[in-house]
Amino acid sequence: MARRKLGKERSYGLAWQHLKKVELDTRLTPRKELEIMVHEVSHLVFPKMPEDDIERLGKIVSKVLWQQGYRKNS
């Protein structure tokens, strides 16, 4: 997973299917970073899933993980 400012891309995160790689914007809050990470990884796992479903999956999974205490260490 790579992190960089994604302002030019106008995105919080990017998934590169052919590289199996995810990039996240460095300016995300820890809570939003978790949501976007789940969202982008979901694109890699479910490449044909519609964007609306990916968005819902990212929100639900990240909310459950956050409620269970999952946090970024660093």
Side-chain angles (χ1 to χ4, degrees):
M1 177 140 6
R3 289 177 174 79
R4 66 182 175 97
K5 290 184 181 178
L6 296 174
K8 284 190 264 181
E9 289 79 4
R10 296 182 181 205
S11 180
Y12 293 127
L14 299 169
W16 302 99
Q17 187 69 37
H18 64 290
L19 299 173
K20 301 292 186 220
K21 179 180 173 183
V22 168
E23 290 184 294
L24 299 177
D25 193 296
T26 56
R27 299 167 290 185
L28 296 171
T29 64
R31 173 69 181 86
K32 190 68 171 177
E33 183 176 304
L34 179 60
E35 178 186 330
I36 300 303
M37 184 183 319
V38 172
H39 176 109
E40 298 303 337
V41 169
S42 296
H43 278 300
L44 299 179
V45 176
F46 306 108
K48 295 182 181 184
M49 185 180 283
E51 184 66 22
D52 289 348
D53 293 340
I54 292 283
E55 182 127 351
R56 188 170 38 248
L57 181 63
K59 289 181 186 302
I60 292 169
V61 171
S62 65
K63 181 179 180 181
V64 171
L65 291 173
W66 195 260
Q67 288 172 339
Q68 293 300 311
Y70 283 84
R71 301 293 189 270
K72 178 180 176 181
N73 288 332
S74 60

